[in-house]
Amino acid sequence: RGSRSKNYRWWLRIVLYTIFLLCGQSVATILGRLYFDKGGSSKWLATLAQLGGFPILIPCYFILLRKSSIANNIIDSNPPSFLKLLTLVYVPLGLLVAGSAFLFSVGLQYLPVSTVTLISASQLAFNALFSYFLNSQKFTPCIINSLVLLTISSVLLVANNHTEKPAGVSKGQYASGFICTIGGAAVYGLALASQQLAFRKLLKGETFKVILDVIVFQSLVASCTIAVGLFASGDWKGLKREMEGYALGKISYVMTVVWTAISWQVFAIGTVGLIFEVSSLYSIAIGTVGLPIVPVLAVFVFHDKMDGIKGMSLVLAIWGFISYVYQHYLDHQKPKIENRIASEISEGCTLGEVIHSDNRA
């Protein structure tokens, strides 16, 4: 009964983290598109909005820090020092996340959303490659089927894109946006694989505080990096003018940036939580499921057209997601089956010994 209860709690956490990831990603992407569509032009601010919302987690962080200090001492009597974690985990992860977020902001500024969606699906391939070397990721038929379906799902969105490069975007800007988005996908895949490696090797305490540690400190490093870029580039000087010229007004400008930041933090909790509970490849696969959700939301927010190809894309994404979840269900059931077989063999051996003993008597 205790094992079954633990299993249910594990699946409940997986469902909760999945909801956080999908909702956070979808809302943040819509708001990011809204920012650029209505007059926003600062890729540094757009990047900072992806990373700078972590202070809203700090009250929760200190509450958990206070409650778990004794438990952590019991779980791990010799935890790694903060300086070691800062040097080997938080700073490298923060720089990777900052680089990925900035590259995607460039892509979102110069490319159609459907093109960014296609390239974002390549995160799966990059993460699978890095996870193979860093985390000994195994590929089963169900996982391969899921990756193929999720990738095709995003490819269909681009096949449905009948527009050329956005108005006012030069060929050079379009090419740089394409290259930057590919680079962002590669760096993001490496960041998630590195997070999984950090959880396996250094961050071994199985608490939600460990997840918040990663989110808060890597976001702090990433935000400081982007803030330096914002001021060093002089981009901050035009933010007041940008806010005054925003199509929806000043208040909407501020609210767009603030809720973008909050949404990305919800997404971060879901992402890191799934890496902690399952794997980086699973986390990124769930994220890919959310890519077709954005065009569906755009039908209501931006009055985009919804046709058969977009519907088919969503169906394939759900199919790929179910395939991946089914593989992890099989992985979860495998130890139970092995234990049952071992128990039956043990009982059979015991019964055989009893019969043999009775025959001798």
Side-chain angles (χ1 to χ4, degrees), residues 193-208:
S194 300
Q195 281 183 350
Q196 185 180 349
L197 179 65
F199 280 131
R200 286 196 303 112
K201 298 296 185 180
L202 293 173
L203 305 171
K204 299 178 181 179
E206 297 185 1
T207 64
F208 188 69

Side-chain angles (χ1 to χ4, degrees), residues 166-227:
V169 176
S170 66
K171 291 183 178 180
Q173 290 174 328
Y174 188 88
S176 66
F178 196 89
I179 294 172
C180 286
T181 309
I182 293 177
V187 175
Y188 187 69
L190 175 59
L192 294 191
S194 300
Q195 281 183 350
Q196 185 180 349
L197 179 65
F199 280 131
R200 286 196 303 112
K201 298 296 185 180
L202 293 173
L203 305 171
K204 299 178 181 179
E206 297 185 1
T207 64
F208 188 69
K209 176 191 167 295
V210 174
I211 297 175
L212 287 183
D213 280 340
V214 174
I215 295 175
V216 169
F217 290 114
Q218 81 173 18
S219 296
L220 177 61
V221 172
S223 298
C224 290
T225 303
I226 297 302

Side-chain angles (χ1 to χ4, degrees), residues 23 29 46 48 62-63 73 98 124 147 170 214 272 280 294 311 313 318 337 356 358:
C23 292
T29 304
L48 192 59
F62 279 110
I63 292 173
N73 291 332
L124 284 168
L147 298 181
S170 66
V214 174
V272 179
S280 60
V294 175
S313 175
I318 295 173
I337 296 174
H356 181 68
D358 289 343

Side-chain angles (χ1 to χ4, degrees), residues 43-59:
K43 46 186 172 287
W44 289 104
L45 180 62
T47 306
L48 192 59
Q50 297 181 42
L51 306 168
F54 69 92
I56 65 175
L57 301 176
I58 290 179

